[in-house]
Amino acid sequence: MADHWVRLELDVTAFDAGRFEPYLDRCAAQGIRLTTLAELWDTPEHRRALYELNRECSADIPGRGAFYSYDEYVEQRLAVPEYDPRGVVIALDGDTWVGMAATSRHYDFVFNEMTGVRAGYRGRGISIAMKTFGMDFARRCGVTRVRTVHHPKNTTAIAMNRTLGFVEAE
């Protein structure tokens, strides 16, 4: 099955952030604030909130299966060298966490682990805004590529990434 996953890649140097500025503006106009887990502070409470948001948003991913327990999530997603709280974008509506875009740091690229928005907030461009906001993380890491992988039936996420300029990866 893994051979059938859709592998996408984005050239950071060719990414036109200005093209997606309207998504950031729309979020701001709706009272949606974008920040990072580093800016919020990477605390146990915030890690738990991230886990709950990730678990809820992951439920719609085709072929996802059962989500991690909290301890597994910490062990496999947060207690790894690739984790960097500066790469975790959070969309907030007041104090409510409504979206996340988690990107991990690797040697010569960053990897979009998960982008998700709570069901009641979908269709507002929040995902594109978060990924645009998060592009700064890739630049700070000094890499030129962002990679991601999707189940082939996750057509909404694939289309969103293509809108941002992602293309098929080798």
Side-chain angles (χ1 to χ4, degrees):
M1 173 86 144
D3 292 332
H4 295 83
W5 289 76
V6 177
R7 291 171 174 81
L8 300 174
E9 185 172 272
L10 175 72
D11 178 352
V12 175
T13 62
F15 180 71
D16 180 9
R19 183 173 158 223
F20 302 101
E21 193 80 23
Y23 291 91
L24 296 167
D25 294 342
R26 188 180 325 152
C27 281
Q30 296 173 19
I32 305 296
R33 180 172 69 99
L34 303 179
T35 188
T36 67
L37 193 56
E39 292 168 354
L40 290 174
W41 298 101
D42 186 12
T43 64
E45 294 79 19
H46 287 152
R47 284 182 171 206
R48 177 63 78 167
L50 177 66
Y51 167 77
E52 294 297 339
L53 180 60
N54 198 157
R55 184 174 60 126
E56 180 180 330
C57 293
S58 293
D60 296 337
I61 297 174
R64 172 64 181 96
F67 198 69
Y68 306 98
S69 70
Y70 179 72
D71 290 339
E72 291 169 333
Y73 185 79
V74 169
E75 180 183 322
Q76 295 179 31
R77 292 295 182 108
L78 306 179
V80 294
E82 298 82 11
Y83 168 72
D84 186 327
R86 297 174 306 164
V88 181
V89 176
I90 305 295
L92 297 164
D93 184 1
D95 292 333
T96 304
W97 293 37
V98 300
M100 63 165 293
T103 302
S104 58
R105 182 180 186 162
H106 299 264
Y107 176 70
D108 63 347
F109 66 95
V110 294
F111 187 82
N112 283 150
E113 300 284 346
M114 168 65 184
T115 302
V117 176
R118 287 202 155 111
Y121 287 84
R122 292 180 187 158
R124 300 184 192 184
I126 297 171
S127 289
I128 289 178
M130 287 189 302
K131 290 186 88 143
T132 300
F133 184 87
M135 213 49 74
D136 187 53
F137 176 68
R139 289 186 192 99
R140 280 188 283 163
C141 290
V143 301
T144 59
R145 292 174 292 159
V146 179
R147 294 179 176 163
T148 193
V149 177
H150 294 288
H151 187 285
K153 291 182 181 177
N154 197 353
T155 57
T156 302
I158 293 166
M160 177 205 39
N161 281 315
R162 291 192 188 284
T163 296
L164 289 162
F166 281 78
V167 296
E168 295 291 325
E170 298 280 327

